Amino acid sequence: MRGNIEGMTTALPLASPTCCTPARAAVDTEEAQRVARVFKALGDPTRVLLLSTVTAAAEGEACVCDLTEPVGLSQPTVSHHLKILVDAGLLSRTQRGRWSYYAPVPGALDRLADTLRELA
Amino acid sequence: MRGNIEGMTTALPLASPTCCTPARAAVDTEEAQRVARVFKALGDPTRVLLLSTVTAAAEGEACVCDLTEPVGLSQPTVSHHLKILVDAGLLSRTQRGRWSYYAPVPGALDRLADTLRELA
């Protein structure tokens, strides 16, 4: 218990009367902003499914035309979600002819997993 | 290139004329919803800082009264963010007297890191 002991507050005028020890984060604000942006990109079930589908693609990349059926959404909506994953640094995008192809950014998910373990 | 070869489309009437092999995700919809919920909780820099501060606390837990100063926000706002981390299964909350104390849920971040490596 961190109680206020009668008479102690006057002896310790600089301390808060009831608490405590201000805690310190293991990450700084800039790092928190960086990782939160990536987590936010993954904070949507459709994007998790799309990322999983692209990383599981046997060819090492997936055509946007193959990604609409697994998530049951229109191509513009799927392209919107894929752009968020590209902007977060999780996927790369290559245009070939009329189609866009998406591939995992090597090491991106492993680096994010490392960050989670550092937070733990 | 996945081009349309003249004359092939009539020979393969069931195939799309330009593409492709519908891809399959490594996770199912239910799993995607579960992990997206946790990622969404982490998709905010204040919550990343709070989680990092709680996990770094020398006592193994942190009083909400110690968590306002590191993020420079009011206690109600900090409590709101902490509730989202509790609801996502990343922190636990214990009430003692007038203060709430927050502790990391053991293994939660490691399990999330494992999920990221499975997605990769």
Side-chain angles (χ1 to χ4, degrees):
Chain A
M1 289 292 290
R2 303 181 188 204
N4 178 12
I5 300 168
E6 193 88 37
M8 283 294 283
T9 50
T10 51
L12 295 166
L14 294 176
S16 161
T18 50
C19 67
C20 305
T21 318
R24 289 286 165 262
V27 297
D28 62 21
T29 306
E30 197 173 316
E31 171 76 352
Q33 285 172 338
R34 190 189 67 76
V35 300
R37 187 161 164 266
V38 186
F39 288 132
K40 192 172 182 178
L42 289 172
D44 178 286
T46 297
R47 292 198 287 275
V48 172
L49 277 177
L50 287 171
L51 182 70
S52 172
T53 307
V54 171
T55 57
E59 302 85 353
E61 63 175 10
C63 175
V64 66
C65 57
D66 291 328
L67 294 169
T68 53
E69 187 267 332
V71 292
L73 295 168
S74 71
Q75 194 177 304
T77 302
V78 169
S79 292
H80 164 77
H81 284 300
L82 288 166
K83 183 178 188 306
I84 292 171
L85 292 169
V86 170
D87 289 347
L90 295 169
L91 293 181
S92 62
R93 174 182 172 276
T94 308
Q95 186 82 27
R96 287 206 297 279
R98 65 177 286 201
W99 298 116
S100 291
Y101 292 78
Y102 293 86
V105 171
L109 286 174
D110 284 337
R111 282 192 294 275
L112 196 60
D114 290 343
T115 302
L116 279 177
R117 293 197 196 282
E118 284 163 22
L119 284 175
Chain B
M1 290 293 291
R2 304 180 188 203
N4 178 13
I5 300 169
E6 194 87 38
M8 283 294 282
T9 49
T10 51
L12 295 166
L14 294 176
S16 160
T18 50
C19 69
C20 304
T21 317
R24 291 284 165 264
V27 297
D28 61 22
T29 306
E30 197 175 315
E31 172 76 353
Q33 285 172 339
R34 188 189 67 77
V35 299
R37 187 162 164 266
V38 185
F39 288 131
K40 192 172 183 179
L42 290 172
D44 179 285
T46 297
R47 292 198 286 274
V48 171
L49 277 178
L50 286 171
L51 181 69
S52 172
T53 308
V54 171
T55 57
E59 302 85 353
E61 65 175 10
C63 175
V64 66
C65 56
D66 292 328
L67 294 169
T68 53
E69 188 267 333
V71 293
L73 294 168
S74 71
Q75 193 177 306
T77 302
V78 169
S79 292
H80 164 76
H81 284 299
L82 289 167
K83 182 178 187 306
I84 292 171
L85 293 170
V86 170
D87 290 346
L90 295 169
L91 294 181
S92 63
R93 173 182 172 276
T94 308
Q95 186 82 27
R96 287 206 297 279
R98 65 175 287 201
W99 298 115
S100 291
Y101 292 78
Y102 293 86
V105 170
L109 287 174
D110 284 337
R111 282 192 293 275
L112 195 60
D114 290 342
T115 302
L116 279 177
R117 293 199 196 280
E118 285 163 23
L119 284 175

